[in-house]
Amino acid sequence: MLFPDRLGVVRVVCLVAVFDAVVPLDTGMLFPRESSSRELKELNGLWDFRADKSANRNQGFERSWYKSRLAESGPVIDMPVPASYNDITQDITLRDFIGWVWYEREVVVPARWVADKGTRVVLRVGSAHYYSVVWVNGEKVTEHEGGHLPFEAEIGSLIRKNPTMPCRITIAVNNTLTLETLPPGTIQHMNDRTKYPDGLFVQNTDFDFFNYAGLHRPVLLYTTPKVYVDDITVVTDFLDDTGVVRYDVSVRGAATAILKVTLMDNEGHSVSSSSESSGVLKVADVKLWWPYLMHESPGYLYSMEVQLMAADGKWTYEDVYTLPVGIRTVQVTSSQFLINNKPFYFHGVNKHEDSDIRGKGLDWPLIVKDFNLMKWLGANSFRTSHYPYAEEILQMCDRHGIVVIDECPGVGIKDIRSFGNASLSHHLVVMDELVRRDKNHPSVVMWSVANEPAAELPPAELYLKTLIKRTRSLDPTRPITYITASINYASDKGAPYVDVICVNSYFSWYQDSGHLEVIPIQLNTQFENWYGKYQKPIIQSEYGADAVSGLHRDPPVMFTEEYQNAVLQSYHDVFDQKRKQYVIGELIWNFADFMTKQGVTRVLGNKKGIFSRQRQPKAAAFLLRKRYLRLANETGRLPPWTKYPCSL
Ligand code: GCB
């Protein structure tokens, strides 16, 4: 009822057939960048906004709100973009709204874009949670399923139809989660009239963060020439002092084009070039991309400039696109994770895109503050729990040398009905979209296809196997994992197919609450079991305890800063034994407190942050900082003269 017709869901009879039935994406999704041939116009700021509060949430479609100005359909309010809409107003029904909301904005398009038929004008939405339909001047231009990845539509011909008209962009966004969405959820209609008001329905989910919704990332228009660089793929390697950049450029709009591919160092000097659309660039005296705290100049980036020239009978086209390139390798052995052939130990965090007021909206002050905090902490890595983060964040990771485990939104897959064909088809598409978007980031070293799926259920093994196989075929160069819950040992059914075992556990918290003394035994057992069975390197992908900032008790009691510290300390003692063997990383849950749905175990959200939601440190932040700087000294392979003193 809440969805209009869905496009693109392929229905086939068995999971293996789904693998073959999902058609791989055939267009690129390069991050929009200005160049001598490309212009860009951000549409961030205030949009008109209206939630469809009709009983079936479908009035907007029934009355075609997209056909004229949204304000003509009824009252509209100001809504900032990018931002989640939930915490912007004082309206409780909007905070907890389920269904379609409508955004609209009129844009003045530069006259040249309209006049020049040799120019493509592309509308791009960085992310809209969850399902979106987009119209320009009342005509539908695209729709997209999935809340964390970009989508685009070419709108040049549409805006040229009536050049004097302003360009009116309408985007309807629906946050409803069903058994087949990612993450999944169910809608429950509360039909008992002795208990619930007429028409009440609720969204049930099996994940632990607030289902923020809206236009979460920048919306923009950008141009390319009609013949353009559609996609670039780079895979890097090195031999002794020589860097190797294998690349592939795909061009659209013409059968043939003249290309010039130039790799430049960070001072703009050309170090290698080619005129082929795919090939190998060799770089003498290569400067490798190194993680933060592993080298004195981490995050070294070259630039690959792709210049294109093409002509048809009437026009000539020139396009220029520049891609940052970090040269590095990633490998996994039975007990190590190697970056540039050197053992890498993940000492980092799990994050959320989450903050006061903006919810999951992209916010530059927050992004920069978080990077400053991560670097202060001595964190060399994070996992994008539990969905792909903004590209702007990954670009920061590339430049600062912060290593990323890139996770798809496969979180809360607990219901057996979410392991069916439709779910798998969509999950495969999402992995496709994720790899297409993030494949060129040197910071991304591993894909995570799911978090704590109910892998013990009968269809789960084939589901996970299919997912991992597909991801490997999309990107054979990066290791793949999914995140398991150690409490549920049967959740290992996908483990034979992964490269690295990632385990979450909360000993002395969800089980044996208050009993710190169980941690050494249970954690040791956890590691020995997993390694004994699979002989694959292990990352402790989550551990931690809630602490309400400013709550103290000694001896430690749950929810105090002392208890959080004590849990961390006990885990660390075991990590220090096992990291000499096969444990290759530890990621604290969580970097900062974050909002969740309401429930009896959450006091204004999850408080396992080592920073508050406002990014102020708890005692655990100082404990972790001391440890991470020590780990950087011991495992970071920095030359002695740059070693970071623990007393920093
Ligand atoms: C987990 C989940 C994470 C939760 C965390 C917790 O295992 O992966 O999403 O927030 O535990 O605090 O319960």
Side-chain angles (χ1 to χ4, degrees):
M1 171 181 76
L2 296 172
F3 284 99
D5 287 341
R6 297 258 210 96
L7 286 182
V9 177
V10 185
R11 298 199 178 273
V12 282
V13 281
C14 74
L15 292 177
V16 179
V18 171
F19 181 88
D20 300 320
V22 175
V23 182
L25 301 164
D26 72 335
T27 59
M29 193 49 81
L30 291 173
F31 185 76
R33 293 174 193 280
E34 284 176 308
S35 74
S36 54
S37 63
R38 295 175 176 227
E39 291 165 82
L40 199 148
K41 187 177 167 76
E42 286 206 343
L43 306 181
N44 300 337
L46 292 187
W47 289 53
D48 279 353
F49 176 91
R50 183 168 180 206
D52 183 346
K53 293 189 180 170
S54 61
N56 69 358
R57 300 294 197 256
N58 218 28
Q59 194 183 87
F61 286 92
E62 285 158 11
R63 302 203 180 155
S64 310
W65 287 359
Y66 49 88
K67 283 218 169 124
S68 52
R69 289 185 51 231
L70 193 56
E72 289 170 25
S73 72
V76 294
I77 59 172
D78 285 342
M79 191 53 70
V81 172
S84 301
Y85 59 73
N86 310 76
D87 290 346
I88 299 292
T89 74
Q90 298 309 103
D91 179 355
I92 189 175
T93 66
L94 185 58
R95 190 195 61 209
D96 298 324
F97 184 76
I98 305 162
W100 291 102
V101 299
W102 292 70
Y103 287 80
E104 183 201 79
R105 157 115 191 225
E106 280 190 358
V107 187
V108 179
V109 181
R112 192 199 67 75
W113 295 13
V114 182
D116 182 359
K117 292 201 177 115
T119 292
R120 291 170 69 243
V121 180
V122 183
L123 170 63
R124 178 181 174 111
V125 180
S127 95
H129 190 72
Y130 172 82
Y131 195 93
S132 317
V133 186
V134 184
W135 298 262
V136 171
N137 294 337
E139 287 194 38
K140 184 166 142 191
V141 294
T142 191
E143 61 187 291
H144 182 258
E145 175 170 0
H148 312 274
L149 291 162
F151 54 96
E152 295 185 340
E154 212 272 288
I155 62 165
S157 53
L158 241 170
I159 55 179
R160 280 179 201 118
K161 270 191 185 166
N162 188 349
T164 54
M165 230 163 74
C167 165
R168 183 168 43 82
I169 300 171
T170 315
I171 308 181
V173 187
N174 192 327
N175 62 351
T176 308
L177 301 177
T178 71
L179 287 165
E180 294 163 4
T181 59
L182 219 55
T186 50
I187 295 289
Q188 189 179 357
H189 292 268
M190 314 304 275
N191 292 329
D192 182 347
R193 286 293 152 267
T194 64
K195 286 185 172 168
Y196 305 108
D198 191 22
L200 182 69
F201 58 93
V202 295
Q203 171 80 74
N204 296 318
T205 55
D206 247 317
F207 54 82
D208 186 34
F209 53 92
F210 192 84
N211 190 32
Y212 279 113
L215 296 178
H216 281 157
R217 296 186 192 146
V219 180
L220 52 89
L221 293 176
Y222 72 92
T223 65
T224 74
K226 272 263 152 69
V227 184
Y228 61 100
V229 176
D230 178 53
D231 200 10
I232 306 172
T233 307
V234 296
V235 173
T236 64
D237 200 350
F238 64 93
L239 193 62
D240 302 325
D241 278 352
T242 305
V244 176
V245 179
R246 292 192 178 82
Y247 72 91
D248 185 51
V249 176
S250 73
V251 171
R252 289 213 151 211
T256 55
I258 299 171
L259 287 178
K260 177 142 197 257
V261 180
T262 313
L263 196 70
M264 289 169 292
D265 65 18
N266 70 0
E267 288 170 351
H269 302 127
S270 165
V271 293
S272 192
S273 66
S274 162
S275 55
E276 302 296 326
S277 63
S278 62
V280 180
L281 298 171
K282 296 223 165 120
V283 185
D285 296 325
V286 63
K287 293 200 176 73
L288 296 177
W289 185 93
W290 287 100
Y292 175 55
L293 297 180
M294 201 171 172
H295 192 267
E296 62 270 33
S297 41
Y300 188 92
L301 293 175
Y302 292 86
S303 300
M304 180 189 272
E305 185 185 81
V306 179
Q307 288 174 287
L308 167 156
M309 273 193 308
D312 56 24
K314 281 203 294 207
W315 309 85
T316 59
Y317 302 95
E318 281 184 35
D319 192 19
V320 179
Y321 188 89
T322 304
L323 179 79
V325 173
I327 301 178
R328 58 108 184 92
T329 59
V330 173
Q331 274 163 300
V332 172
T333 71
S334 63
S335 60
Q336 288 183 318
F337 197 96
L338 304 174
I339 296 186
N340 300 337
N341 301 333
K342 299 274 192 298
F344 176 76
Y345 187 78
F346 295 78
H347 43 89
V349 299
N350 289 277
K351 291 187 90 257
H352 263 298
E353 289 182 318
D354 174 272
S355 72
D356 284 331
I357 304 173
R358 306 138 176 80
K360 292 201 178 302
L362 180 133
D363 181 51
W364 277 113
L366 182 78
I367 291 174
V368 176
K369 178 72 177 176
D370 280 5
F371 271 81
N372 288 334
L373 287 177
M374 281 191 284
K375 292 178 81 171
W376 172 86
L377 193 67
N380 63 3
S381 51
F382 69 83
R383 160 178 163 230
T384 70
S385 44
H386 290 305
Y387 38 79
Y389 292 179
E391 288 158 277
E392 290 82 347
I393 295 176
L394 296 182
Q395 289 160 7
M396 290 276 286
C397 291
D398 292 343
R399 291 196 292 108
H400 290 269
I402 303 291
V403 167
V404 176
I405 300 172
D406 203 351
E407 187 155 293
C408 88
V411 56
I413 311 178
K414 306 285 189 193
D415 189 307
I416 194 162
R417 293 168 293 173
S418 292
F419 288 96
N421 290 342
S423 299
L424 180 59
S425 302
H426 178 56
H427 208 144
L428 294 173
V429 171
V430 170
M431 287 315 301
D432 230 349
E433 289 186 4
L434 177 62
V435 172
R436 175 178 65 168
R437 192 195 73 161
D438 292 348
K439 63 189 171 186
N440 293 325
H441 288 287
S443 56
V444 173
V445 301
M446 181 152 67
W447 306 111
S448 161
V449 299
N451 177 71
E452 298 184 4
E456 69 282 8
L457 296 174
E461 180 170 357
L462 186 54
Y463 184 103
L464 286 166
K465 183 180 171 184
T466 310
L467 200 54
I468 291 166
K469 187 173 162 208
R470 170 58 159 253
T471 308
R472 214 180 284 296
S473 74
L474 293 168
D475 178 6
T477 71
R478 286 178 177 89
I480 303 170
T481 191
Y482 76 96
I483 313 293
T484 60
S486 105
I487 175 73
N488 180 4
Y489 194 67
S491 71
D492 73 338
K493 292 292 176 290
Y497 313 104
V498 301
D499 302 294
V500 172
I501 305 269
C502 284
V503 189
N504 298 343
S505 62
Y506 290 92
F507 303 129
S508 88
W509 191 260
Y510 291 118
Q511 312 85 38
D512 306 302
S513 308
H515 284 280
L516 292 161
E517 67 276 23
V518 305
I519 295 175
I521 305 170
Q522 296 188 3
L523 189 55
N524 190 63
T525 308
Q526 166 196 291
F527 285 138
E528 291 294 300
N529 277 348
W530 281 97
Y531 195 74
K533 189 151 180 205
Y534 292 107
Q535 286 91 50
K536 293 182 183 181
I538 304 177
I539 294 177
Q540 181 76 38
S541 41
E542 287 180 28
Y543 72 104
D546 287 75
V548 177
S549 287
L551 217 55
H552 296 286
R553 195 59 58 97
D554 187 43
V557 171
M558 288 174 80
F559 291 100
T560 64
E561 295 195 28
E562 286 76 12
Y563 194 89
Q564 187 182 36
N565 261 2
V567 169
L568 267 52
Q569 189 58 63
S570 303
Y571 265 79
H572 296 164
D573 292 344
V574 181
F575 295 159
D576 280 337
Q577 295 156 29
K578 301 294 174 191
R579 73 187 163 85
K580 306 205 168 68
Q581 302 167 33
Y582 49 77
V583 169
I584 57 161
E586 52 189 87
L587 304 175
I588 184 76
W589 191 263
N590 188 284
F591 172 74
D593 293 348
F594 58 91
M595 194 46 68
T596 63
K597 66 184 168 208
Q598 299 183 60
V600 290
T601 59
R602 298 287 178 255
V603 187
L604 263 187
N606 187 310
K607 296 281 190 278
K608 293 193 188 70
I610 54 161
F611 297 100
S612 67
R613 201 183 192 206
Q614 294 70 33
R615 276 45 181 183
Q616 296 308 315
K618 301 178 192 174
F622 296 97
L623 179 97
L624 216 57
R625 178 169 195 255
K626 210 166 163 201
R627 173 171 179 78
Y628 282 1
L629 293 174
R630 181 167 64 78
L631 286 172
N633 278 343
E634 286 176 27
T635 68
R637 281 149 203 92
L638 286 162
W641 63 90
T642 56
K643 289 224 163 169
Y644 288 75
C646 283
S647 58
L648 262 183

